[in-house]
Amino acid sequence: MVGLLGRTRAQSTRRPSTAHHQHGSHEGKHRRGPSNGLRSALSGRSVAGQVFVLQVVIVLLLVVAAAVALVLQVRHDSTQEARNRSLAVAETFANTPGTRAALSAPHPTALLQPSAEAARKASKVDFIVVLNTDAIRYTHPKPDRIGKKFVGTTAPVLAGHSITEQVNGTLGPLVQATVPIKAPDGKVVGMVSAGITTANVGGAADHQLPLLLGAAGVALALATTSTALVSRRLLRQTHGLGPYEMTRMYEHHDAVLHSVREGVIIVGGEGQLLLANDEANRLLDLPADAEGQHVQKLGLDAGTAELLASGRVATDEVHLVGDQLLAINQRPTDLQGGPAGSVATLRDSTELRALSGRAETARERLKLLYDAGVGIGTSLDVTRTAEELAEVAVPRFADFVTVDLADAVLNGQEPDAGAGLRRTAVGGIRKDAPLYPVGEHIGFVPSTPQAHSLRTGEAVVEPDLGGAPGWLAQDLQRTAQVVDYGIHSLITVPLRVGPLVMGVVNFWRSEKPEPFDVEDLALAEELVARAAVSIDNARRYTREHTMAVTLQRSLLPRTLPDQSALDLAYRYLPAQAGVGGDWFDVLPLPGARVAVVVGDVVGHGLLAAATMGRLRTAVHNFSALDLPPDELLGLLDELVGRIDQDETTEDGRAAVTGATCVYAVYDPTTRRCTVARAGHPPPAVIRPDGGVEFPDVPAGPPLGLGGLPFETAELELAEGSRLVLYTDGLVEDRGRDIDVGLELLRTALAGADRSPEATCQAVLDALLPARPSDDIALIVARTHALAADRIASWEVPSEPAAVGEVRASVSRQLARWGLDELAFTTELILSELVTNAIRYGNGPIGVRVLLDRTLICEVFDASSTSPHLRYAATTDEGGRGLFLVAQLTDRWGTRYTAEGKVIWAEQPLP
């Protein structure tokens, strides 16, 4: 505080004076070296020196008192220990059975002296003396003392009591204990005395005394050093001044501070008010208990309180406090090693009041532009960006704001010249203004300010709408309503980015009687210029997003194919931030089987969507080969690897970094589902009872990595089970781990008797994030089994005569199904296929006929050789069998199994 007062005084007065000289003197002391400052502190003339001497004396007295107390305590403890040990040794020896017996022997000394000496040495006492009732010694460490009178008190002992005492005995000053030796009848027949000389009693204390004195010396040295450091700091704080000098300086500074015409405020490092002179109290109207409180709690206006609490440098910063305009200068107090805090001077600048309004207006406008930069363009949505512009400008700049954009801009395109505008956003202090509503299509007449802005790209200000015939001509009835409502002034600014004019922004004033002026026009242009960049960015994003979504939608299936094995429902939701590469598909396969596939291309944007289309096409083509799921994924893996190589950029990075996929084939004749996946989340199976499980399907590497094989898992699904395939966007998000997502999915899927459509909706209700960051594809398939009465199969011997039996069996089966119309063509088809199997294939041979949406004929054999369709010449005798099969059926083909191959053919039902 004293240092702060000294510096404050130096800042607040510049004329020569005794106090000034004195201040310079103690500043000179402050600049002296540390050794000189310490010698000054030790001199005793300054406050620091006096405090140092006093502290050293106090510490010395405390150390000496502590050392004496410790020595006395050690001596007392040693003496007490000697008393206790002597008494214990004497009682032990007195109660020894042989001691009493020896007293009645003819020569007690001969019996007791050896045992007494042995006990003395063992117990580490200086003597053990056995006495008779006349206090004559029978034993003694010095044999010449035997037979002589004992030195000590014996009367209490003869009365049957034990005593301890300090005496000057034959061995010198000592501590001894004397106890009686009693006969069985309680009569005292002798005494035993044991003791330790004073020299040995104080030996422990004497050994500990050097350690105690050494510790006391170290403590004194440490205390003196710490006291010197404290005094040195005090020396810096007091600048080496003595008590009289400090008192005089304080009185002088106090008088100066409270008599100057400028307010002086000293604020501590934590923002507490340390000092305010009379003028500062008057200017700021501070409460009586202001000192010690935080400046934010003194009732000051926010700007002044923030300045004083911040401690930042300020020069003639103007603040309006009450009805006074104060110029505030502020400097920190710790620039040259002083204490943390700041000192501020306040001056009443009444002559600047005329400028306060303009300064405040400028400040508000700068704040408006700053808020516009932060608050406009928070999303890449054209309409929302226009609404943000209206929210920022109302009511701080205008009472009403309308934003009119071309329809092409809302769709992401560049506007056409001469096209009308659509009201996109309206903001105002009230909701009942008679302006065009949101969504209204507006065609401005050529005389309006809006048409002029669109035509020239320049802003227009109409200070008086009631006297603006060009604007009134737009809609005589509506414009009259606007004027009657109280809206009297308008600024129209084109939304322009370079030569592109996207629309206009209209600022309307009704509450303030003053019309818009040129300065308002400049602010409006700056505000709209910032918003125009954000709207154009949103427009460009809308265009790119629309193109990507359109491409993506065109590549996804629009309808699902007809089939009988699965009841299907699906959901596809693109990400909010941009389209991705998720896809799904349902592919009917021969033999009433159905393949379901879900995939996900890494990345977002047009490239990901295009790659997704290529993979979906590839899956269609590979499925036509009727490959097992693991082999199909292997071909996809090679394809993605080639795509990565083809799309490699100039810097060597691949544009596509891979994809994931799960491929499942369901056979309704066996209720078996074969599944393989490549880096994709596992499928879920909902049992008919509503239980949910995630089957253990080998994960496999993502597509495009290459080098590792894919594996399949075969699931047996009860009829009515639901197979659920999905992409990772459903279960994984920035704020949710995939394990948590899978558990949420399990909970959402649980439940019996729910349709695939209801299952999809339940999953999205439970897991869909508010703003998906990735595409979501979900497909739910409920299984059906092909009834046993719709399946007919026969084993066929490998001999030509078996062909006729096959034809007869098929005719009977078709008659049972009511398909006699197909008997001839079916016999012809099976006759040709079985004949080829017998002639060119290997046994065993089997025939199966399935009645589904079509009539399916299948011939099995153990050969892996596939027949080829030939076109026989007119002179050829054979080669027309498969040609006839192709003509009589809708489709035919070959698929391979682990045991061989299947030749199949499908006929439409009548």
Side-chain angles (χ1 to χ4, degrees):
M1 174 64 79
V2 174
L4 285 173
L5 290 173
R7 278 187 293 279
T8 304
R9 186 263 166 218
Q11 293 173 357
S12 62
T13 177
R14 296 288 183 244
R15 60 182 181 274
S17 67
T18 304
H20 191 191
H21 176 73
Q22 183 180 12
H23 180 70
S25 175
H26 75 72
E27 287 294 338
K29 294 178 182 179
H30 180 64
R31 289 191 294 268
R32 290 186 302 222
S35 60
N36 292 336
L38 185 57
R39 283 196 296 271
S40 176
L42 296 177
S43 66
R45 292 191 300 271
S46 65
V47 172
Q50 295 177 14
V51 171
F52 173 80
V53 172
L54 180 59
Q55 288 180 329
V56 169
V57 171
I58 292 173
V59 170
L60 179 60
L61 292 176
L62 290 175
V63 170
V64 171
V68 171
L70 286 173
V71 171
L72 294 177
Q73 182 65 38
V74 169
R75 288 190 178 276
H76 175 270
D77 292 344
S78 299
T79 302
Q80 187 63 35
E81 174 64 21
R83 287 174 176 267
N84 293 338
R85 188 161 22 129
S86 299
L87 181 61
V89 171
E91 288 179 343
T92 301
F93 195 81
N95 293 325
T96 301
T99 302
R100 188 175 64 250
L103 290 176
S104 59
H107 300 287
T109 299
L111 296 174
L112 294 172
Q113 178 70 7
S115 60
E117 285 301 300
R120 178 183 66 82
K121 295 177 181 179
S123 60
K124 296 182 180 179
V125 297
D126 290 328
F127 66 89
I128 297 177
V129 176
V130 183
L131 315 171
N132 61 14
T133 55
D134 295 328
I136 302 301
R137 302 187 185 98
Y138 286 154
T139 64
H140 197 279
K142 294 182 179 180
D144 60 341
R145 301 291 196 275
I146 298 174
K148 295 183 179 181
K149 188 73 172 182
F150 172 71
V151 179
T153 304
T154 58
V157 180
L158 293 175
H161 304 290
S162 300
I163 66 169
T164 58
E165 58 185 340
Q166 289 180 261
V167 299
N168 188 11
T170 57
L171 298 179
L174 50 84
V175 176
Q176 65 182 12
T178 307
V179 300
I181 302 174
K182 297 180 180 180
D185 58 358
K187 181 181 179 181
V188 177
V189 297
M191 296 175 285
V192 175
S193 178
I196 302 175
T197 62
T198 302
N200 290 334
V201 170
D206 294 339
H207 291 307
Q208 295 180 9
L209 185 58
L211 179 60
L212 292 175
L213 294 177
V218 171
L220 179 61
L222 291 176
T224 304
T225 302
S226 61
T227 300
L229 294 176
V230 172
S231 297
R232 182 178 178 181
R233 180 173 180 81
L234 183 59
L235 177 68
R236 290 199 302 268
Q237 295 294 329
T238 60
H239 303 285
L241 299 177
Y244 174 74
E245 294 173 311
M246 290 182 62
T247 302
R248 186 175 61 181
M249 183 187 69
Y250 178 84
E251 292 174 347
H252 182 74
H253 286 184
D254 189 63
V256 171
L257 285 172
H258 292 287
S259 62
V260 295
R261 294 292 304 274
E262 286 187 347
V264 178
I265 284 183
I266 300 177
V267 180
E270 300 297 328
Q272 285 78 19
L273 178 63
L274 301 180
L275 176 68
N277 68 351
D278 295 341
E279 185 68 6
N281 278 281
R282 185 187 68 80
L283 293 175
L284 298 178
D285 193 21
L286 297 176
D289 58 347
E291 292 189 5
Q293 295 190 36
H294 198 280
V295 294
Q296 296 280 8
K297 300 179 180 180
L298 297 179
L300 303 176
D301 66 281
T304 305
E306 185 277 332
L307 171 61
L308 297 177
S310 66
R312 59 182 173 84
V313 175
T315 302
D316 288 333
E317 189 169 312
V318 178
H319 287 259
L320 184 61
V321 179
D323 58 349
Q324 296 174 323
L325 203 62
L326 302 183
I328 302 177
N329 291 273
Q330 183 168 265
R331 296 293 183 272
T333 58
D334 56 355
L335 296 179
Q336 297 181 355
S342 60
V343 58
T345 61
L346 301 88
R347 186 175 66 255
D348 187 2
S349 302
T350 308
E351 65 274 10
L352 298 177
R353 293 191 184 201
L355 300 176
S356 62
R358 296 179 60 186
E360 182 64 19
T361 301
R363 186 184 69 83
E364 290 179 356
R365 291 183 174 182
L366 289 176
K367 183 67 167 55
L368 175 63
L369 292 177
Y370 171 79
D371 291 342
V374 174
I376 299 176
T378 59
S379 67
L380 291 173
D381 182 82
V382 174
T383 301
R384 179 58 192 152
T385 305
E387 292 172 349
E388 289 172 346
L389 170 59
E391 291 171 359
V392 168
V394 175
R396 299 163 63 180
F397 177 66
D399 298 320
F400 298 93
V401 174
T402 58
V403 182
D404 305 324
L405 298 175
D407 286 331
V409 174
L410 297 174
N411 297 325
Q413 306 301 319
E414 294 186 359
D416 298 330
L421 304 181
R422 188 174 300 277
R423 181 134 297 174
T424 307
V426 174
I429 57 177
R430 291 185 298 273
K431 301 295 184 181
D432 58 346
L435 301 170
Y436 288 116
V438 172
E440 182 85 8
H441 190 274
I442 307 171
F444 292 105
V445 299
S447 63
T448 59
Q450 290 86 350
H452 178 79
S453 293
L454 290 172
R455 186 170 56 254
T456 63
E458 298 176 353
V460 178
V461 58
E462 284 287 355
D464 182 12
L465 291 178
W471 174 78
L472 293 172
Q474 171 66 29
D475 183 342
L476 296 179
Q477 181 179 359
R478 183 177 294 274
T479 54
Q481 293 174 352
V482 170
V483 173
D484 293 340
Y485 186 78
I487 298 176
H488 59 83
S489 187
L490 165 68
I491 291 179
T492 295
V493 183
L495 267 165
R496 184 181 62 186
V497 176
L500 180 65
V501 178
M502 299 176 290
V504 293
V505 181
N506 306 296
F507 300 94
W508 313 82
R509 177 172 286 181
S510 64
E511 293 295 315
K512 287 185 178 182
E514 301 85 4
F516 286 118
D517 55 20
V518 177
E519 292 185 359
D520 293 326
L521 179 64
L523 177 60
E525 288 179 321
E526 179 67 22
L527 193 62
V528 173
R530 299 190 180 200
V533 175
S534 298
I535 290 178
D536 188 54
N537 289 338
R539 178 190 66 82
R540 293 171 182 270
Y541 172 79
T542 300
R543 180 185 60 190
E544 298 296 331
H545 185 72
T546 301
M547 292 173 57
V549 170
T550 302
L551 172 62
Q552 186 184 42
R553 294 290 187 186
S554 67
L555 296 175
L556 291 172
R558 299 181 181 179
T559 59
L560 297 181
D562 294 332
Q563 42 80 36
S564 302
L566 300 172
D567 288 339
L568 296 164
Y570 68 91
R571 295 288 189 277
Y572 188 88
L573 300 174
Q576 293 290 334
V579 298
D582 292 12
W583 93 93
F584 66 92
D585 226 327
V586 178
L587 308 170
L589 299 178
R593 296 170 303 132
V594 179
V596 182
V597 59
V598 172
D600 183 3
V601 176
V602 176
H604 292 84
L606 290 174
L607 181 59
T611 304
M612 175 269 287
R614 297 168 72 177
L615 293 183
R616 181 169 177 254
T617 302
V619 171
H620 271 266
N621 294 333
F622 294 152
S623 67
L625 301 176
D626 210 351
L627 298 173
D630 54 339
E631 295 184 19
L632 186 143
L633 292 183
L635 294 177
L636 279 181
D637 181 60
E638 294 180 6
L639 175 62
V640 173
R642 290 196 299 271
I643 291 175
D644 282 350
Q645 293 177 0
D646 296 341
E647 299 292 342
T648 301
T649 57
E650 295 181 357
D651 58 1
R653 294 182 300 176
V656 179
T657 58
T660 66
C661 182
V662 58
Y663 187 84
V665 177
Y666 175 68
D667 188 346
T669 63
T670 61
R671 293 185 288 104
R672 292 186 176 274
C673 182
T674 306
V675 186
R677 63 188 179 113
H680 203 82
V685 174
I686 310 172
R687 299 187 298 272
D689 60 2
V692 180
E693 62 181 7
F694 293 95
D696 185 14
V697 179
L703 300 176
L705 296 183
L708 295 175
F710 299 96
E711 301 179 42
T712 61
E714 192 168 276
L715 313 176
E716 184 170 350
L717 304 179
E719 186 172 8
S721 300
R722 283 166 286 169
L723 180 67
V724 181
L725 305 180
Y726 52 92
T727 55
D728 59 356
L730 180 67
V731 294
E732 188 175 17
D733 198 60
R734 292 187 181 94
R736 182 173 62 200
D737 187 71
I738 188 171
D739 294 332
V740 177
L742 289 176
E743 285 303 315
L744 293 175
L745 178 62
R746 183 194 299 273
T747 303
L749 292 175
D753 300 329
R754 191 156 56 182
S755 67
E757 187 70 28
T759 304
C760 284
Q761 191 59 46
V763 169
L764 293 185
D765 291 343
L767 279 82
L768 183 64
R771 186 177 178 83
S773 59
D774 195 6
D775 291 4
I776 295 176
L778 170 68
I779 187 166
V780 179
R782 182 165 57 191
T783 63
H784 294 286
L786 191 62
D789 59 357
R790 289 176 169 264
I791 305 174
S793 60
W794 303 274
E795 295 290 335
V796 180
S798 297
E799 53 187 36
V803 177
E805 181 60 29
V806 170
R807 288 198 300 267
S809 298
V810 167
S811 295
R812 290 192 295 270
Q813 184 63 46
L814 293 180
R816 296 190 195 100
W817 287 340
L819 298 176
D820 297 291
E821 299 177 19
L822 299 180
F824 176 75
T825 57
T826 304
E827 289 180 12
L828 184 59
I829 292 169
L830 286 179
S831 177
E832 179 61 31
L833 296 181
V834 171
T835 300
N836 282 344
I838 294 173
R839 181 177 300 176
Y840 304 110
N842 298 324
I845 299 173
V847 174
R848 187 172 72 168
V849 180
L850 307 177
L851 178 58
D852 192 38
R853 291 177 177 269
T854 59
L855 184 65
I856 304 170
C857 299
E858 298 177 334
V859 176
F860 303 82
D861 68 74
S863 172
S864 59
T865 303
S866 176
H868 297 282
L869 179 65
R870 293 192 303 148
Y871 297 93
T874 55
T875 58
D876 291 342
E877 295 183 0
R880 297 179 178 84
L882 288 180
F883 177 77
L884 291 176
V885 171
Q887 295 299 313
L888 296 174
T889 61
D890 277 355
R891 297 192 306 161
W892 76 278
T894 305
R895 75 172 183 270
Y896 295 94
T897 66
E899 295 79 16
K901 70 175 182 297
V902 179
I903 309 298
W904 56 270
E906 293 184 4
Q907 302 176 73
L909 298 178

